[in-house]
Amino acid sequence: MYQLAETFGIERRTVSAILHRHHVAMRRQGLADDQVEDAVRLYDQGWSLARIGEQMDVTADTVRKRLLERGVIMRDPPGTPTHRSW
């Protein structure tokens, strides 16, 4: 998809939408090393795993696994109660 997007000068998400619309079977490739670096940067900027996954056309769990492999410390999910000892 990335190569098609570059070749035709369109976004990867546009390529994905066109392929889905035409029922083209696709396989998930995971994240390439340069994508993992981008994911780390985006996560450090406050992006959620889900948002990064959507941007990179992978699941949030795939993003999480690759970030953990790089030693990134995961934030608590929004809405997670803070446990305090009184």
Side-chain angles (χ1 to χ4, degrees):
M1 277 196 270
Y2 288 94
Q3 290 173 336
L4 289 171
E6 185 176 327
T7 299
F8 292 103
I10 57 177
E11 288 195 33
R12 181 213 37 84
R13 290 181 294 188
T14 303
V15 173
S16 177
I18 292 168
L19 294 175
H20 278 101
R21 190 169 44 242
H22 292 279
H23 307 288
V24 174
M26 290 179 274
R27 57 192 164 97
R28 294 200 181 257
Q29 299 259 339
L31 294 174
D33 288 338
D34 61 327
Q35 290 176 300
V36 175
E37 290 180 27
D38 288 342
V40 169
R41 181 180 48 79
L42 294 172
Y43 190 76
D44 286 344
Q45 291 176 2
W47 284 41
S48 69
L49 297 173
R51 185 175 174 199
I52 296 168
E54 183 178 311
Q55 177 74 23
M56 298 187 173
D57 199 29
V58 295
T59 66
D61 192 52
T62 297
V63 174
R64 181 182 170 282
K65 287 176 185 174
R66 294 301 304 269
L67 293 182
L68 288 171
E69 288 172 6
R70 289 285 174 100
V72 174
I73 297 172
M74 296 289 108
R75 298 186 298 263
D76 288 333
T80 303
T82 304
H83 299 285
R84 297 177 191 233
S85 324
W86 297 94

